[in-house]
Amino acid sequence: MNVETRREPDLRPESAEPPGDAGRAGNLVGALVAFVMGAYVAITSIGYGFGSAARPGAGVFPFAIGSLMAGLALAWTVMTVMGRTPSSEAPSRPERQGVFRIVMTMVAAAGFVTLVDVLGYQLTMSAVIALLLATVARVRWWLVVTITLVMGIGSYALFVNGLGVSLPAAGIPALRYLGL
Amino acid sequence: MFDQLLQGFGTVLTPQNLAFALLGCVLGMLVGVLPGFGPAAATALLLPVTLTLPAVTAIIMLAAILYGAAYGGTITAVLINVPGETSSVATTLDGYQMAKQGRAGPALAIAAIGSFVGGLVGVVGFVVAAPLSRFALAFGPAEFFALTLLGLTLVIGLAGGSTLKALIAAALGLMLGVVGLDPLNGVARFTFGSQQVLDGLNLVPVIMGLFGLSELLLSIKGSIASAAAIKVGKVLPTRDDLRRSALPIARGSVVGFATGLLPGSPGAVASFGSYVLEKRLSRTPERFGHGAVEGVAAPESANNANAVSGMIPLFTLGIPTSATMAIMMGAFTINGLVPGPLLFRDHPDVAWGIIASMVVGNVILLALNLPLVRVWITCLRIPYPTLYVLVIGFMLVGAYTLDGSVFNVVVMVAAGVLGYVLRTIDVPLAPVALTLVLGPLMERSLSNALQISRGSPSIFFDSSIAMTLLVATVVVLTLATMKAPLRTLARAVATRTRQGSVH
């Protein structure tokens, strides 16, 4: 049997530890963010109290971790400045189209979070799928309609009727009256 | 011991559990064939599906999802040269070559047989190792703290790449792990007034985001290339294929089992280790990389044996050894079960039922593999962007159904973005997931130990078990730190030697 299969050149072979662009700027920004986070955790945890050696307070463990993170971030900064941070072999900056797809995915997720309790699951999921199919997958309109209906209504039926999971109905009475 | 295993089979072999094991295998394979989607992401993605099931059925189904997803990664490794996880990378070397020669069918069949045997060897080892859990019952807080510390250090030491970045990842996971109520004093920490994180961050949406969503975002950041034609050919392997594969499968299973016991040891160590071993032992090593069936048989058996033996530390000590095991631990917790020695004592039916389900799951996989090859190929023909949209949809609803609120969706998306950023700057993700799980355990055991000793650190040195574990921790950490300087030194020596020989 001959089949056509696509190659996705950007798909990473490993989900746990894939390579990426370890460019200097990226490393420095990463180290800075890590330092700020570590320092914030360490400083905030002082307020939780250290207790005594026999009964450690709520702040001991986070203080230790925050300080560790800040220290490691400093070491990361120094190593990056000295050019000793391991770099990956290929730059992995997203293409313009890739940035657009990622942004649309975030917009869709934000839309889901904002609307699901207002419009109900079926309408919101349909809108999310339609948006992504039209902008990310760029499939023909009839496919957008078909897949949207199958996913919006089909997944509702699967989860609610098949798995007994409750999904939200619309918060707007008129929509709820329509069974959405 | 074997009596209890038989009782475990009694638990699994009910129509309901069998049906869900079958469904788990199929769903796992379905998600596993998504290019780049490894077992960790697949298990996290499908975890919400099991939420409404009874505890034992849910864990049996999840274990089946895990095997299915691992095998799904093998399918893509052979057919389109895209492994689902690092442990399948070795399979691409000869599996894809076999596919290009029109022998994808035999490659997949041998992979399934190898996985089956590897899985069985893993289960036998599991049964033998199960009594170790009694030993772990003697662990007090000091020993447990030392154990979690060692587990964490091994994860960092064996993470590969930069030790510094692995440490950063571990610290990040520990920081996320302190969100919620402090285990000793009940003080709310870093909750920012939210009631939903008082019990800590839910592991499932974090893992779904870190491993699943970030993988998806990476997969669409670039252009999508053209197709390649694959000929599956005859599905059944020849007698010669079976003869050539027999010993590599046996050796691969042993290598995989042994490496799986090491916390943090990636599956790739097992699969590449067994691949290299077979190449060394072969009388015709030049065939490797050009479609040698042994090059598929050995790594596939190794990686399945590795996956099963990786569960031994979780079941006997309550310590997850990989991101996937961290998710399994989360699944146990969601279902009101505590993995570890107490599981064998308090819920032997569950513990042995799950072990028996591993055998059943492997049998199902073997049975499903050949008939479904063409179905998976059809799935692979669906344009990737469309698959992407469908998976995103399922992830959103999956995260929502965890507790019926959008909070977990937000957590998943945030973790996805974090995972994407970490991947782009080469910070490994596995230590984040593991320390997120181990952190609270570590803090609790540390606090309890200090309470028992009235603040004296001698409690860690008076116990010979704790002392041994702490020494092992120091050794691992030292070796991990010395990794880079030793490599530089070795390179310098090699260069000098080469220069010396030129002059």
Side-chain angles (χ1 to χ4, degrees):
Chain A
M1 177 166 86
N2 280 310
V3 290
E4 292 291 316
T5 53
R6 305 157 322 289
R7 286 294 310 281
E8 312 294 340
D10 295 302
L11 297 179
R12 303 303 168 121
E14 151 66 345
S15 33
E17 292 156 42
D21 182 10
R24 209 170 186 202
N27 274 295
L28 281 174
V29 172
L32 179 68
V33 172
F35 179 78
V36 170
M37 280 169 58
Y40 172 77
V41 168
I43 292 166
T44 308
S45 56
I46 295 171
Y48 296 135
F50 288 156
S52 63
R55 190 178 171 84
V60 173
F61 200 67
F63 180 79
I65 296 163
S67 307
L68 173 72
M69 177 63 119
L72 289 169
L74 282 179
W76 190 4
T77 309
V78 171
M79 286 184 79
T80 306
V81 170
M82 288 168 65
R84 291 181 60 190
T85 308
S87 293
S88 60
E89 60 288 343
S92 67
R93 283 213 179 112
E95 293 174 10
R96 188 186 255 186
Q97 190 60 34
V99 173
F100 174 73
R101 290 184 196 128
I102 291 170
V103 169
M104 289 319 295
T105 305
M106 292 299 122
V107 169
F112 183 86
V113 168
T114 317
L115 297 174
V116 74
D117 289 329
V118 181
L119 298 179
Y121 172 80
Q122 293 178 81
L123 270 185
T124 309
M125 181 52 82
S126 300
V128 163
I129 295 295
L131 174 72
L132 289 176
L133 284 172
T135 56
V136 175
R138 295 193 168 175
V139 294
R140 292 183 185 144
W141 70 267
W142 59 269
L143 266 176
V144 172
V145 174
T146 312
I147 297 172
T148 297
L149 285 175
V150 170
M151 188 67 189
I153 298 166
S155 66
Y156 183 83
L158 173 73
F159 275 88
V160 174
N161 302 326
L163 297 169
V165 175
S166 65
L167 290 171
I172 301 168
L175 291 175
R176 218 171 31 236
Y177 180 74
L178 292 171
L180 294 169
Chain B
M1 190 163 58
F2 282 93
D3 293 348
Q4 287 167 309
L5 182 62
L6 281 178
Q7 281 174 9
F9 275 109
T11 308
V12 180
L13 296 174
T14 63
Q16 175 180 303
N17 287 344
L18 272 179
F20 278 104
L22 179 70
L23 183 64
C25 278
V26 174
L27 284 176
M29 284 167 96
L30 186 62
V31 178
V33 293
L34 295 177
F37 237 71
T43 314
L45 173 67
L46 292 170
L47 182 56
V49 177
T50 66
L51 289 181
T52 54
L53 301 175
V56 178
T57 312
I59 302 290
I60 287 173
M61 186 178 176
L62 269 174
I65 286 171
L66 182 62
Y67 311 134
Y71 190 70
T74 302
I75 296 171
T76 52
V78 169
L79 292 179
I80 58 172
N81 203 21
V82 176
E85 50 172 337
T86 39
S87 59
S88 299
V89 174
T91 309
T92 60
L93 300 175
D94 283 284
Y96 185 59
Q97 291 302 320
M98 284 179 75
K100 276 175 47 178
Q101 293 160 16
R103 301 190 69 230
L108 288 171
I110 288 293
I113 295 167
S115 297
F116 174 72
V117 177
L120 278 190
V121 169
V123 171
V124 171
F126 205 139
V127 173
V128 174
L132 279 177
S133 62
R134 272 180 231 150
F135 167 72
L137 280 172
F139 277 28
E143 290 81 4
F144 203 74
F145 172 74
L147 180 69
T148 50
L149 200 61
L150 175 63
L152 206 149
T153 314
L154 278 167
V155 170
I156 294 163
L158 296 169
S162 160
T163 305
L164 177 67
K165 287 186 175 179
L167 279 166
I168 294 268
L172 180 62
L174 287 171
M175 281 191 349
L176 293 174
V178 296
V179 173
L181 290 178
D182 149 54
L184 205 62
N185 306 290
V187 176
R189 300 180 300 196
F190 305 101
T191 57
F192 301 101
S194 167
Q195 299 287 314
Q196 281 158 306
V197 290
L198 281 180
D199 288 333
L201 284 172
N202 189 335
L203 179 71
V204 180
V206 175
I207 299 279
M208 283 171 82
L210 267 183
F211 289 89
L213 185 58
S214 68
E215 183 66 60
L216 285 167
L217 294 178
L218 271 175
S219 74
I220 54 150
K221 74 179 176 50
S223 56
I224 290 157
S226 57
I230 293 287
K231 199 178 173 188
V232 172
K234 253 176 50 181
V235 172
L236 288 175
T238 61
R239 190 172 286 185
D240 186 51
D241 287 334
L242 291 170
R243 187 183 56 77
R244 283 180 184 277
S245 306
L247 281 175
I249 285 175
R251 287 188 287 257
S253 301
V254 175
V255 170
F257 181 81
T259 50
L261 294 172
L262 288 173
S265 161
V269 171
S271 54
F272 271 108
S274 61
Y275 184 88
V276 171
L277 178 70
E278 288 313 315
K279 196 173 174 182
R280 287 250 169 91
L281 292 175
S282 174
R283 286 180 193 158
T284 51
E286 66 281 359
R287 288 173 46 252
F288 280 74
H290 299 284
V293 73
E294 302 94 309
V296 175
E300 280 302 310
S301 342
N303 98 46
N304 217 28
N306 181 280
V308 176
S309 66
M311 291 195 195
I312 294 175
L314 179 65
F315 272 67
T316 53
L317 304 170
I319 298 288
T321 54
S322 65
T324 316
M325 287 306 114
I327 298 167
M328 286 299 280
M329 190 163 175
F332 272 86
T333 314
I334 287 171
N335 284 289
L337 301 166
V338 182
L342 293 177
L343 190 69
F344 282 95
R345 197 188 66 186
D346 299 342
H347 302 280
D349 54 326
V350 177
W352 289 100
I354 295 165
I355 295 175
S357 82
M358 294 174 189
V359 179
V360 175
N362 277 297
V363 172
I364 292 174
L365 264 188
L366 185 66
L368 283 182
N369 165 55
L370 299 182
L372 289 184
V373 164
R374 287 178 167 82
V375 175
W376 308 132
I377 289 167
T378 310
C379 289
L380 286 169
R381 295 176 73 180
I382 299 173
Y384 183 73
T386 308
L387 279 176
Y388 169 87
V389 173
L390 295 177
V391 176
I392 289 284
F394 273 111
M395 289 188 87
L396 290 174
V397 64
Y400 185 89
T401 54
L402 289 172
D403 67 354
S405 81
V406 291
F407 182 76
N408 282 326
V409 180
V410 175
V411 171
M412 181 194 73
V413 174
V417 173
L418 176 68
Y420 177 85
V421 172
L422 292 178
R423 284 168 191 263
T424 55
I425 52 173
D426 274 351
V427 175
L429 298 183
V432 182
L434 281 165
T435 49
L436 179 58
V437 173
L438 288 178
L441 297 176
M442 189 185 269
E443 182 179 11
R444 196 174 301 128
S445 48
L446 175 66
S447 301
N448 289 340
L450 288 173
Q451 258 191 321
I452 291 168
S453 69
R454 295 184 181 173
S456 166
S458 62
I459 191 169
F460 299 106
F461 309 113
D462 291 345
S463 154
S464 54
I465 298 174
M467 191 61 195
T468 310
L469 293 169
L470 287 174
V471 169
T473 304
V474 172
V475 171
V476 173
L477 204 56
T478 311
L479 287 176
T481 319
M482 295 299 289
K483 208 165 52 181
L486 283 175
R487 215 177 290 147
T488 314
L489 186 70
R491 221 174 288 146
V493 170
T495 312
R496 194 169 287 181
T497 313
R498 224 175 295 139
Q499 282 170 346
S501 62
V502 169
H503 297 295

